[in-house]
Amino acid sequence: MTRLHRSSLAAVAAALVLSLTAPMADAVTDPQPRPAASAPIVGAEESLGYPIESRVLSQDQSQGVDAEGRPQAYWVTAGNDVTPGMFQVTDLRSGEVVFGERLPAGAHSWASTFNTANGTVYFAMTSGEMYSWTPGDDAVTALGVPFPGEGIWRLDAAPDGVVYGGTYPGGLLFSYDPATGEFADHGQAVPGETYARALEADDESVWVGTQPRARLTRFDRGTGQFHQVALPAQYETHEVVYDMTLARDYLLLRVQPSNDLLVYDTSSGEFVNIVPGISGRAISPPDPAGKYVYFRISAQGVVAYDLDTHTYAPIGWGPNAFPGTWAWIDLDHPDFPGLSLAMTYYYGRIYVWNPTTKKTLYIGEGDLQGAPNSITALGSGPDGAVYVGAFLSPPGMARFDPADDSTTLLAGAGQVEGFGTYGEHLVFGRYPNAGLLDFDTTRPWSMGTNPGPPATIAGEQDRPQAFAQVGDLMAVGSVPKSGRLGGALSLWDPATGEVVTHRNVVPDQSVVSLAERDGLLYGGTSINGGYGIDPVATEAELFVADPDTGTVLHRLVPVPGGRAVNGLTFDADGTLWGVSDGTLFTYDPATRSVTRAEQLFPRTANMYGHDRHLVFRGDGYLYVTSSGSLWRVDPQSWAATRLASSGVASLALDEKGDLYYARGAALYRWNFSLRPQPVCDVTVSGPHAGPLRATAGTTCLDGASVDGPVQVSPGAVLVAEDSAVRGPVRAIGAGGVQLDSVTVTGPVSVTGAVGGVWIDGTTVDGPVELLSNSGGTTVSGLTVTGPLSCTGNEPPPVLENVDVDGPVTGQCREA
């Protein structure tokens, strides 16, 4: 008996047609020979679950009372692309969650208000849906999508019960009358402003704050007219009026990015005070005596602002949280006599302070339900791990280790927009405010120390998305802040924290992809700027820049009409590959010209090209995420094969050569060691008397017992699992053959298969011939009573733990 034992199949199976020692994304090998255009799919998709399994994030909150006067907090905890958001209610006296319902539609909400006129909470989603719930109801009431194409970004209820809302991208002010169930469109609050971002309604007026330019306007409820109010001159270039509170005759509004609090006297039409740099979103309503409002300043904690003297002082209460909403509540508890001040925090936490006893109360988020966090970016780490950034991520980012398939949460990372590497360091860009962080992967993660405090890109930048190492520096491509055009190419020295920023290297466009070659930077742009502003450019560009000066040496439009030039990567010959709106192109740096461009994928575009990744593996193929799918492209023939679909985005490569991508909040791996999962056209189970012929498509034997020969015709696929065949198995020119835990009484012959041949855990009482198969051949745990012959297979077969009672010849003897 001949026994053949080889190294672990898991480590070598993909070597059928692939090298598993592929370089990282920016380095490319050029193996010989290159694959044929007709080569079959190798590998299969694996779901790796949710890297950030659950988080509680309620971007906006409100507070109210039930019919018995019990105070409640209202949350709309964020969902993701698969899981809608969830409306939940906390009873502040008991600390219990007393109601919860997963919504039928909508993932994110920035709009919630409690209507004191009818005791109902109203909330709306950024995708446009609006809902209501009255304490005691068994279910949320859907009010529809009042303005298709408009997301709802803020709500406020007037004293008479009419609910007002603001939208994006139209910047509309609208109203909903609960008495009639009718919506009314009052038009764009401020001409040209795309977000109606802050609202405060009283009996006569609705005050509206806007974004992407901080503007204030008053809507006269009687006449239906808007009257703009000029902010102090120093706020002319501010980005947003974010929060407002009416207290007596004063309108208190917070503006970004300074976070200054402006106090506007609505009776005189003058700004009477400015409080610099408050912390958090909300300003409280006046206290029961009407003398004080409360807000937070990071260095002082919560302060009381005197509406008579326009001075403020700390109250000795410093919750470690940004206020999301405030309310005066009755806890009906001796330690909290009268009314106490309750503050909610968007991570689902509640803090309460009593002005008489100075007692405090904390209610945590443990009973609230969250949802997995949507993935924003993937990166290949120098330590062999895959790093995962997520949307508005309070837990942090995730580190997935392919060595043991474990996931570790790295707390405090924030929303990551892009990754890069140098040496043993992982670098990443964070939204908002374009923070750049440097993590030494050889040392433990400790936010604030490793990585240390972020460096910041100047020039009104917000989203650092693209990274490329050039010498000792990291080049960074970024997208500007909301309402701004003109991204930047920045050169960051992680050792010193110095950042040199070159804005508008391509006028009015953002820099969303980068690659380096021979000391020069190659960048791709998006015609879009930050959210809330329309592009003025019409076609995305490819540029070449000198990193020493930031000078653009060459620019062109690689794909006419393209809105974003997505991932860029070089092959071993120095050709630059890129994709734009579904068109793959190549660029010759020597001639500075596009040498080929073909629309290989469906033509789609997004704001910045988040499916912008291209990588070469050691198998000679180019792998691309585009148009919501993962593609394999033969760089010789440009034949494209779709490997995975349905919302695929981002792309990373591990050291073994497997690919990682995202769908919403879930992480997936294209594992080249796995067998492709077949879709069966014909399935045979149980007893089958007589011959069986697979003539076309995929024929599956699942727990079958075939009493007769099995013949596989050219192009057809046979997949047999946990089955028995009493007779020969012969395949000529098959599309693929898989025998998994099969007993064959008779010879097995597979000749000229163009798809993969997999034989695993199978016993054959007869000779086995594997001849001239071109789709890759893997044999593991095969027991043969008879000879084993392997000839002319390309690539050569991979064998492990094969026991043969007979001669072994050809490639099988050599393996």
Side-chain angles (χ1 to χ4, degrees):
M1 178 177 287
T2 302
R3 297 180 179 269
L4 302 179
H5 299 281
R6 296 295 181 261
S7 59
S8 169
L9 179 66
V12 300
L16 300 171
V17 291
L18 308 171
S19 164
L20 290 186
T21 56
M24 303 304 289
D26 288 339
V28 180
T29 59
D30 191 9
Q32 297 294 334
R34 291 182 180 270
S38 61
I41 293 174
V42 175
E45 179 179 276
E46 276 185 296
S47 174
L48 302 175
Y50 299 115
I52 301 176
E53 292 186 358
S54 184
R55 52 81 191 266
V56 172
L57 172 64
S58 182
Q59 289 106 317
D60 198 26
Q61 316 98 49
S62 59
Q63 297 186 57
V65 295
D66 68 7
E68 298 176 353
R70 296 181 67 91
Q72 298 179 325
Y74 307 110
W75 318 91
V76 185
T77 51
N80 54 51
D81 291 345
V82 176
T83 305
M86 186 172 182
F87 176 72
Q88 298 174 79
V89 181
T90 302
D91 183 304
L92 274 70
R93 289 181 182 174
S94 68
E96 297 177 347
V97 175
V98 296
F99 180 83
E101 180 181 335
R102 188 69 66 182
L103 300 172
H108 300 284
S109 174
W110 288 86
S112 180
T113 187
F114 183 77
N115 192 338
T116 58
N118 63 3
T120 297
V121 60
Y122 295 86
F123 58 97
M125 316 304 287
T126 58
S127 46
E129 301 85 358
M130 188 162 165
Y131 300 94
S132 70
W133 182 79
T134 302
D137 285 353
D138 294 331
V140 167
T141 298
L143 302 177
V145 180
F147 303 98
E150 293 288 323
I152 300 173
W153 284 79
R154 193 60 60 94
L155 293 174
D156 191 51
D160 62 0
V162 176
V163 178
Y164 287 87
T167 76
Y168 167 85
L172 306 179
L173 175 70
F174 71 88
S175 62
Y176 171 74
D177 188 343
T180 64
E182 294 182 354
F183 289 90
D185 180 357
H186 302 294
Q188 190 172 46
V190 176
E193 296 303 300
T194 54
Y195 287 88
R197 198 66 178 82
L199 296 177
E200 189 72 5
D202 61 20
D203 290 321
E204 299 177 351
S205 306
V206 182
W207 302 87
V208 185
T210 68
Q211 184 180 353
R213 296 178 302 164
R215 300 293 183 263
L216 176 65
T217 190
R218 182 181 70 84
F219 175 73
D220 189 315
R221 296 182 62 190
T223 66
Q225 300 298 309
F226 288 100
H227 305 276
Q228 289 199 42
V229 177
L231 299 184
Q234 63 266 40
Y235 301 101
E236 174 67 25
T237 60
H238 269 50
E239 298 166 13
V240 57
V241 176
Y242 210 103
D243 299 289
M244 295 191 291
T245 292
L246 275 168
R248 300 191 330 212
D249 289 333
Y250 298 112
L251 179 70
L252 298 97
L253 54 148
R254 182 178 67 90
V255 295
Q256 286 186 179
S258 67
N259 287 314
D260 290 352
L261 179 68
L262 314 184
V263 182
Y264 179 70
D265 187 334
T266 62
S267 59
S268 69
E270 297 179 350
F271 286 90
V272 296
N273 196 24
I274 296 174
V275 180
I278 75 168
S279 175
R281 290 184 45 201
I283 305 97
S284 83
D287 66 1
K291 182 174 176 59
Y292 295 104
V293 295
Y294 295 79
F295 49 85
R296 182 178 182 270
I297 298 176
S298 59
Q300 302 181 52
V302 176
V303 301
Y305 182 91
D306 191 319
L307 294 168
D308 294 324
T309 65
H310 297 293
T311 60
Y312 59 91
I315 63 172
W317 181 38
N320 185 26
F322 299 119
T325 185
W326 300 89
W328 290 97
I329 66 169
D330 179 6
L331 281 180
D332 191 25
H333 191 282
D335 287 342
F336 295 85
L339 295 179
S340 300
L341 185 59
M343 181 193 96
T344 59
Y345 180 43
Y346 55 80
Y347 293 167
R349 304 167 197 165
I350 301 167
Y351 303 80
V352 184
W353 170 80
N354 185 268
T356 301
T357 65
K358 312 303 181 186
K359 296 283 188 179
T360 62
L361 172 70
Y362 170 74
I363 301 173
E365 72 277 17
D367 292 336
L368 293 170
Q369 294 186 46
N373 208 333
S374 298
I375 295 171
T376 56
L378 298 177
S380 302
D383 54 350
V386 174
Y387 288 84
V388 185
F391 174 73
L392 292 179
S393 179
M397 70 181 182
R399 178 186 183 274
F400 179 82
D401 188 348
D404 58 7
D405 285 0
S406 63
T407 300
T408 304
L409 187 66
L410 305 178
Q415 179 171 317
V416 178
E417 293 286 314
F419 291 98
T421 63
Y422 74 93
E424 296 299 322
H425 290 244
L426 178 83
V427 295
F428 56 98
R430 189 169 67 186
Y431 166 89
N433 301 320
L436 302 174
L437 293 103
D438 180 9
F439 170 47
D440 182 350
T441 62
T442 65
R443 299 189 295 117
W445 172 275
S446 177
M447 193 66 197
T449 304
N450 183 36
T456 303
I457 301 175
E460 299 185 305
Q461 299 301 293
D462 225 13
R463 301 174 188 269
Q465 292 198 337
F467 291 79
Q469 184 178 359
V470 52
D472 294 329
L473 304 178
M474 293 301 301
V476 186
S478 58
V479 175
K481 289 181 177 291
S482 172
R484 308 301 194 263
L485 293 172
L489 172 64
S490 299
L491 280 300
W492 168 37
D493 186 345
T496 65
E498 181 183 4
V499 182
V500 177
T501 298
H502 305 283
R503 189 175 180 184
N504 275 312
V505 287
V506 175
D508 299 320
Q509 301 203 36
S510 300
V511 180
V512 297
S513 56
L514 285 173
E516 183 274 341
R517 188 79 172 185
D518 297 330
L520 294 178
L521 287 169
Y522 295 79
T525 71
S526 166
I527 65 172
N528 294 289
Y531 283 93
I533 189 169
D534 292 330
V536 297
T538 58
E539 294 179 307
E541 298 190 20
L542 175 70
F543 67 88
V544 186
D546 181 346
D548 293 331
T549 63
T551 303
V552 173
L553 307 175
H554 179 62
R555 287 168 45 194
L556 58 75
V557 174
V559 177
R563 297 173 63 86
V565 173
N566 307 104
L568 298 172
T569 192
F570 281 94
D571 65 18
D573 298 328
T575 298
L576 181 67
W577 295 72
V579 66
S580 177
D581 295 18
T583 295
L584 185 70
F585 67 87
T586 52
Y587 173 86
D588 184 352
T591 62
R592 291 183 174 173
S593 62
V594 171
T595 53
R596 185 173 180 178
E598 292 187 22
Q599 186 181 335
L600 299 186
F601 323 116
R603 187 180 180 91
T604 59
N606 57 37
M607 283 282 287
Y608 311 121
H610 288 296
D611 57 350
R612 60 185 178 275
H613 296 277
L614 312 174
V615 295
F616 280 98
R617 291 184 73 253
D619 57 0
Y621 286 113
L622 175 69
Y623 292 86
V624 184
T625 47
S626 180
S627 315
S629 296
L630 171 66
W631 305 84
R632 185 191 69 183
V633 178
D634 182 338
Q636 281 191 318
S637 67
W638 285 48
T641 303
R642 192 196 308 260
L643 301 182
S645 58
S646 302
V648 170
S650 296
L651 189 62
L653 180 71
D654 72 13
E655 290 181 328
K656 195 177 77 169
D658 289 332
L659 299 168
Y660 296 78
Y661 49 93
R663 287 193 187 96
L667 180 65
Y668 290 83
R669 171 168 57 197
W670 189 266
N671 188 333
F672 288 88
S673 299
L674 294 180
R675 284 177 287 179
Q677 297 302 305
V679 177
C680 302
D681 299 298
V682 175
T683 300
V684 178
S685 301
H688 178 89
L692 178 67
R693 188 178 182 88
T695 57
T698 299
T699 298
C700 297
L701 306 186
D702 184 4
S705 178
V706 180
D707 191 5
V710 175
Q711 179 73 39
V712 186
S713 299
V717 176
L718 173 68
V719 178
E721 298 185 43
D722 300 317
S723 296
V725 178
R726 285 176 291 277
V729 176
R730 290 190 173 89
I732 299 176
V737 174
Q738 297 183 19
L739 304 179
D740 187 351
S741 301
V742 177
T743 300
V744 181
T745 305
V748 172
S749 175
V750 183
T751 302
V754 296
V757 177
W758 296 80
I759 303 176
D760 187 13
T762 290
T763 299
V764 179
D765 187 4
V768 175
E769 288 185 319
L770 303 174
L771 307 175
S772 302
N773 300 301
S774 61
T777 303
T778 301
V779 179
S780 174
L782 172 65
T783 300
V784 181
T785 303
L788 172 63
S789 174
C790 306
T791 304
N793 301 285
E794 181 57 46
V798 176
L799 276 71
E800 180 190 51
N801 297 333
V802 176
D803 291 344
V804 182
D805 187 7
V808 178
T809 59
Q811 293 169 307
C812 288
R813 184 174 184 81
E814 298 165 4

